[in-house]
Amino acid sequence: MSAEASSRRHLLDGATRVFLGEALFFPTGLLVVAFLTRRLGPEGYGVLALTMAPVLWIEWSVAALFSRATVKLAGDAEDWRPVGAAIVRLHLAAGVLAGVLLAAFAGPVAALLGEPALAGYLRLFALDVPLMTVIHAHRGLLVGTGGFRPRAVAAAARWIARLLLIVALVEAGFSVTGAILGNIGASLVELAVVRSAIRPPLLGRAPLNVGPLWTYATPLFVSAASLRLFDRLDLFVYKALGASTELAGIYGAAQNLALAPRIFNVSLSTLLLATLTQMLRIGQGRAAADLSRDAERFGLALLPLAGIAAGSAPELVGLVFGETYAPAAPLLALLLFATIASVQMSIATAVLTAGGKPGWTVWLAWPLVPLAAAGHLLAIPRFGAAGAAFVTSACAALGAAACVLAVRRVWGVAPPLATLGRSALLTVCAYLAAAAWSSPGPWVLLKMGILVAGVVAGFAALGEVGLGRRPPAWRVLLPDSGLYGSVSGPRDDLDRAPQARPARR
């Protein structure tokens, strides 16, 4: 088996395992959301959504300070232990500091949003911040060192524990507090699993020059923090401009359901970064560029799936949340496309980081925050929640387009326009078919499954999938073989891929 084939099979194995582990977020997350929206009601769920938004932003931002840098450096290193020791201790220190600051500013945040009870919930949830940052450190080390199996087991354990703990505690009468404690308990379960798989020392001095770490960590932190702030900015601005807690709960429900496709971010982009890093390290620049383009094509292939879910939004909202949350349906339809755009941005960030251009991710991410803020301030007073969702989706689409152009500039590759055209056509058809086909209750899941099969058949009929060439989603993962020909599109520019840094001897 060639080195390129081995790299692709390694990515396939890792992506499959991690995807299956993280995919449990979808059924367990739906059950959690369905349970909480009914038990807490729109107002109680609104308080929970407002509590989770800043906590999740802080956790992902702190984790982003080192997470992709961890994968990059652990993948480059011959011995991960010095990297691991430094990484986990920096995560722990940053997490403790962030948790303390969140607890200290909980009161002003609650006052800003007009919810006094929010302060106590934020202080309680602050306990989860150092736990999650240390977990992210271990996740990065596992991916960087090829530990895909324990990474997948840890994800599965987290989502199952989260479901069981939240249901048990809320049913016991702890309400919003029970939901928060359930999340903290799930973090403890995942931490135990990852520590059983890889154990960098938590205390002591790490014998590592952290200069290269900061070279990657600083721009990636700014980029990821900007993207996470952009993700939740609509809910905060909507509430700050006078929306009631009940309306915020409805918007938060749509926002959380729209996040389901984010499992592709976790299962693909980080593993893509690790695989590209290894390929560049051994001199496979052309193959790495080929893989990068195919990953972007995979992101485009997800658009028709968003069309199916958007057309089915009223039935999905009724099934998951109940009729009380019916106004969330049009919001969900818009926010789903923002999530698909975020998947494309995540793929591009991984490709740029592997190519030694982490600084580019900053310039692609931070402008989204002021652009979206200005859009929200203009649209929300006039159009309400629909204006917030539209601004978020439009800005995300612009960000995804900018990321594709950046990858083309650095790597010299881009997804073919023909793939974009086919995906756009199938997205429109999928949306119209889903909207016209009314399937209330659980039957909506069967309808969506049939339409997904129709999308695959549509790609085949349009020439994107066939015996003569591989579909983009498969080519990202499968090695070259005699069963498939080459992917259509220009290949003469692939030798211009960024050069890997020399491996340390």
Side-chain angles (χ1 to χ4, degrees):
M1 182 183 294
S2 68
E4 180 185 354
S6 177
S7 296
R8 287 182 182 271
R9 287 197 182 277
H10 187 60
L11 178 59
L12 171 62
D13 177 73
T16 302
R17 292 179 187 277
V18 177
F19 176 80
L20 291 176
E22 291 290 349
L24 285 175
F25 165 75
F26 186 70
T28 61
L30 283 180
L31 290 174
V32 166
V33 170
F35 172 75
L36 290 176
T37 50
R38 286 169 169 79
R39 292 290 293 173
L40 302 180
E43 184 172 353
Y45 191 78
V47 171
L48 179 61
L50 291 172
T51 303
M52 293 182 66
V55 174
L56 293 177
W57 175 72
I58 290 173
E59 288 179 349
W60 279 102
S61 297
V62 174
L65 181 59
F66 307 113
S67 60
R68 292 199 172 186
T70 299
V71 175
K72 173 70 174 174
L73 295 178
D76 281 337
E78 294 182 357
D79 183 4
W80 66 267
R81 292 172 181 80
V83 175
I87 288 292
V88 75
R89 292 166 190 171
L90 287 171
H91 271 78
L92 179 60
V96 170
L97 176 61
V100 170
L101 290 175
L102 175 61
F105 286 95
V109 171
L112 175 65
L113 297 176
E115 294 291 336
L118 201 63
Y121 295 135
L122 286 172
R123 293 189 182 101
L124 175 61
F125 219 162
L127 297 174
D128 192 57
V129 175
L131 294 176
M132 278 306 303
T133 53
V134 172
I135 288 170
H136 277 291
H138 287 76
R139 288 177 179 177
L141 290 172
L142 285 172
V143 172
T145 57
F148 299 138
R149 184 188 296 271
R151 170 67 181 87
V153 171
R158 175 181 187 83
W159 299 127
I160 294 173
R162 178 174 176 263
L163 170 63
L164 297 177
L165 290 171
I166 287 178
V167 171
L169 291 169
V170 174
E171 282 293 322
F174 290 100
S175 189
V176 175
T177 300
I180 295 172
L181 291 175
N183 279 281
I184 296 174
S187 295
L188 290 171
V189 170
E190 184 177 5
L191 180 60
V193 174
V194 293
R195 287 292 294 176
S196 68
I198 191 168
R199 294 188 179 181
L202 292 171
L203 302 175
R205 184 177 179 181
L208 176 70
N209 176 18
V210 295
L213 174 64
W214 287 109
T215 300
Y216 279 89
T218 303
L220 292 177
F221 166 73
V222 175
S223 171
S226 299
L227 291 176
R228 297 290 79 78
L229 178 59
F230 167 73
D231 286 342
R232 300 288 176 171
L233 189 63
D234 47 2
L235 178 61
F236 273 108
V237 177
Y238 182 48
K239 182 67 174 69
L241 290 179
S244 66
T245 305
E246 182 177 351
L247 291 176
I250 291 173
Y251 193 94
Q255 190 179 61
N256 288 334
L257 188 56
L259 292 177
R262 285 282 180 87
I263 58 176
F264 291 105
N265 283 2
V266 178
S267 60
L268 179 60
S269 62
T270 304
L271 301 180
L272 179 65
L273 171 59
T275 302
L276 290 175
T277 298
Q278 293 291 343
M279 295 174 77
L280 290 173
R281 183 184 179 189
I282 60 178
Q284 296 180 356
R286 180 183 176 88
D290 194 13
L291 181 60
S292 301
R293 182 184 60 181
D294 294 331
E296 290 191 308
R297 296 182 75 182
F298 176 75
L300 291 178
L302 296 177
L303 279 172
L305 304 186
I308 294 172
S312 306
E315 296 104 311
L316 284 174
V317 168
L319 175 65
V320 177
F321 305 134
E323 295 303 320
T324 305
Y325 291 82
L331 307 178
L332 173 63
L334 287 170
L335 292 173
L336 281 165
F337 291 98
T339 301
I340 297 301
S342 76
V343 173
Q344 193 73 23
M345 286 190 282
S346 182
I347 291 172
T349 300
V351 172
L352 292 171
T353 303
K357 300 291 185 180
W360 284 51
T361 65
V362 176
W363 296 103
L364 292 169
W366 78 260
L368 291 177
V369 176
L371 181 63
H376 290 317
L377 291 174
L378 291 173
I380 291 176
R382 185 172 181 180
F383 301 105
F390 176 80
V391 168
T392 297
S393 298
C395 290
L398 289 175
C403 285
V404 170
L405 293 176
V407 170
R408 179 176 178 82
R409 177 70 181 272
V410 174
W411 288 77
V413 296
L417 289 176
T419 299
L420 176 60
R422 292 163 184 150
S423 295
L425 176 60
L426 289 175
T427 299
V428 173
C429 294
Y431 174 82
L432 294 176
W437 182 359
S438 178
S439 300
W443 291 106
V444 66
L445 302 179
L446 175 62
K447 176 184 80 170
M448 294 177 66
I450 294 173
L451 291 178
V452 168
V455 165
V456 175
F459 273 124
L462 294 173
E464 188 72 19
V465 179
L467 294 177
R469 58 186 169 194
R470 263 178 286 178
W474 293 5
R475 184 169 169 81
V476 172
L477 304 175
L478 297 177
D480 288 326
S481 68
L483 295 178
Y484 303 96
S486 62
V487 174
S488 61
R491 298 179 58 89
D492 54 341
D493 58 353
L494 297 184
D495 290 326
R496 292 187 280 124
Q499 297 298 313
R501 294 187 178 184
R504 288 187 292 176
R505 301 296 181 187

